[in-house]
Amino acid sequence: MRYDSDLLYRPPGEWRSYLLQCTIGCSHNKCTFCGMYKEKKFRIRPVEDILEDIDMALDYYGPRVERVFLMDGDAIIMKTEDLLKILHKLYATFPKLEKVTLYAGPRSTLTKSLDELKELHQAGLSRAYLGVESGSQAVLDFIHKGCTTQQMLQAGQNLVAAGIDLWVTVILGMTGQGGDWEEHILSTAKMINEMRPRHLSAMTFAPAKGTPLGDDVLAGRFEVCTPDQVLEECRLLIEYLDVNPLHFTSNHASNYLPLKGGLPEDREKFLGLIDQALEGKIRLRKTLNRGI
């Protein structure tokens, strides 16, 4: 397998997946909070090289591969015909293959018609991870997400309509102290309820060294939310989510109180745990600070 660097980013749930590099970096790469691809110039690898890598993976792993993640960021931006070639090659090469997943950027997703997305799903694209971050236009503008809330919503709805298993991530604490956190959370819950993904992960903002927002934290221009403020945001989000069923996680390394389960059945349990944590009855864990 050939990778452009030793830093290989993938969703936490893809830790057992074969990582197949289809793109280098992220096509947008302007989000002020994200430092994953700042050192990379975005480009799409030649499909011939990707197909060769699949043969190399067969030699290395044998035919037992069950999951594949198409990295880096935003592999959905590739031409549909090229993604279909990759999917067909993967399933022909690995007879036990069950899932192929990727990161999907909102604007890149919208370049594909619903029929194209359905064709990709039928060819074996199992899941897409969509970084929604917030349902608030003010927050999306603040973090330079590069899309409108309507574009974000439509991208997610199209993925769901195509039958692709949609895993959405949102970020708590994104307004900082003194920001309109209620608008951020209520707008986010509204978008998720309209998008109706199967999975939702609520992460917590952790300043990353070398990013614009990380620099703002160091300079005192952005004040990171306290653990109690983040818990209040998580509580409000859980209260207003009405997707049924929804696999909900808030157990990333950035989260103070790990939560994992299903909504609506675990709603009262989650709220009770958050209340206990706010009352000091549950010890919060140390979280990821990414070097700041």
Side-chain angles (χ1 to χ4, degrees):
M1 289 74 68
R2 294 168 288 190
Y3 300 109
D4 75 306
S5 74
D6 294 331
L7 295 175
L8 308 181
Y9 296 103
R10 44 86 181 154
E14 301 297 333
W15 65 277
R16 291 186 300 171
S17 298
Y18 159 46
L19 305 181
L20 174 60
Q21 187 145 41
C22 296
T23 63
I24 309 296
C26 171
S27 65
H28 179 59
N29 206 24
K30 295 178 182 176
C31 294
T32 58
F33 66 90
C34 179
M36 290 199 301
Y37 307 113
K38 287 293 186 278
E39 303 302 318
K40 297 184 178 184
K41 182 178 180 180
F42 179 77
R43 61 191 185 278
I44 298 172
R45 295 186 66 212
V47 67
E48 295 79 11
D49 291 352
I50 298 169
L51 299 180
E52 287 178 4
D53 281 2
I54 295 173
D55 289 329
M56 294 169 65
L58 176 63
D59 291 339
Y60 185 82
Y61 293 114
R64 64 182 182 276
V65 171
E66 296 179 357
R67 295 180 64 129
V68 176
F69 177 72
L70 308 182
M71 53 176 286
D72 274 334
D74 204 18
I76 204 166
I77 199 173
M78 297 183 70
K79 292 179 180 179
T80 299
E81 62 188 77
D82 288 343
L83 280 171
L84 289 171
K85 289 178 183 177
I86 293 167
L87 290 167
H88 293 151
K89 174 76 171 181
L90 283 169
Y91 281 96
T93 302
F94 302 112
K96 295 185 178 181
L97 185 59
E98 298 174 356
K99 290 184 178 182
V100 178
T101 65
L102 47 63
Y103 282 133
R107 293 174 65 180
S108 300
T109 300
L110 291 176
T111 64
K112 296 195 177 345
S113 68
L114 183 56
D115 285 341
E116 286 180 286
L117 293 174
K118 288 180 177 179
E119 188 176 9
L120 289 170
H121 174 56
Q122 292 167 359
L125 179 58
S126 313
R127 174 182 293 170
Y129 294 89
L130 178 65
V132 167
E133 328 310 2
S134 177
S136 164
Q137 188 62 59
V139 173
L140 294 185
D141 290 343
F142 173 66
I143 62 175
H144 295 185
K145 190 66 183 180
C147 69
T148 66
T149 55
Q150 185 55 45
Q151 287 172 321
M152 183 70 78
L153 175 60
Q154 191 64 61
Q157 289 177 329
N158 287 358
L159 290 166
V160 172
I164 296 170
D165 185 29
L166 178 59
W167 192 307
V168 163
T169 58
V170 299
I171 304 179
L172 307 172
M174 208 67 261
T175 63
Q177 293 193 37
D180 193 351
W181 66 273
E182 289 183 318
E183 192 271 336
H184 162 47
I185 295 301
L186 293 175
S187 297
T188 300
K190 181 177 183 294
M191 179 179 287
I192 299 305
N193 291 339
E194 294 178 4
M195 191 179 291
R196 311 201 76 76
R198 180 63 185 86
H199 315 267
L200 173 65
S201 287
M203 302 168 65
T204 301
F205 169 65
K209 188 175 182 179
T211 63
L213 198 47
D215 292 342
D216 286 343
V217 171
L218 289 174
R221 294 186 294 267
F222 184 92
E223 198 169 1
V224 177
C225 289
T226 67
D228 280 1
Q229 289 172 328
V230 171
L231 290 174
E232 291 283 9
E233 290 191 17
C234 190
R235 193 185 200 289
L236 188 64
L237 178 66
I238 291 171
E239 278 188 291
Y240 277 83
L241 289 170
D242 68 7
V243 182
N244 182 8
L246 180 66
H247 173 235
F248 178 85
T249 62
S250 189
N251 60 351
H252 183 260
S254 64
N255 295 118
Y256 296 102
L257 178 68
L259 301 172
K260 181 180 181 180
L263 292 176
E265 64 270 21
D266 289 324
R267 190 188 316 273
E268 294 307 316
K269 180 181 77 172
F270 289 159
L271 296 178
L273 288 170
I274 292 172
D275 288 341
Q276 290 181 60
L278 288 169
E279 294 167 5
K281 296 178 181 179
I282 296 178
R283 185 177 180 179
L284 302 181
R285 67 182 184 180
K286 294 181 179 180
T287 62
L288 178 73
N289 64 21
R290 300 184 191 172
I292 289 184

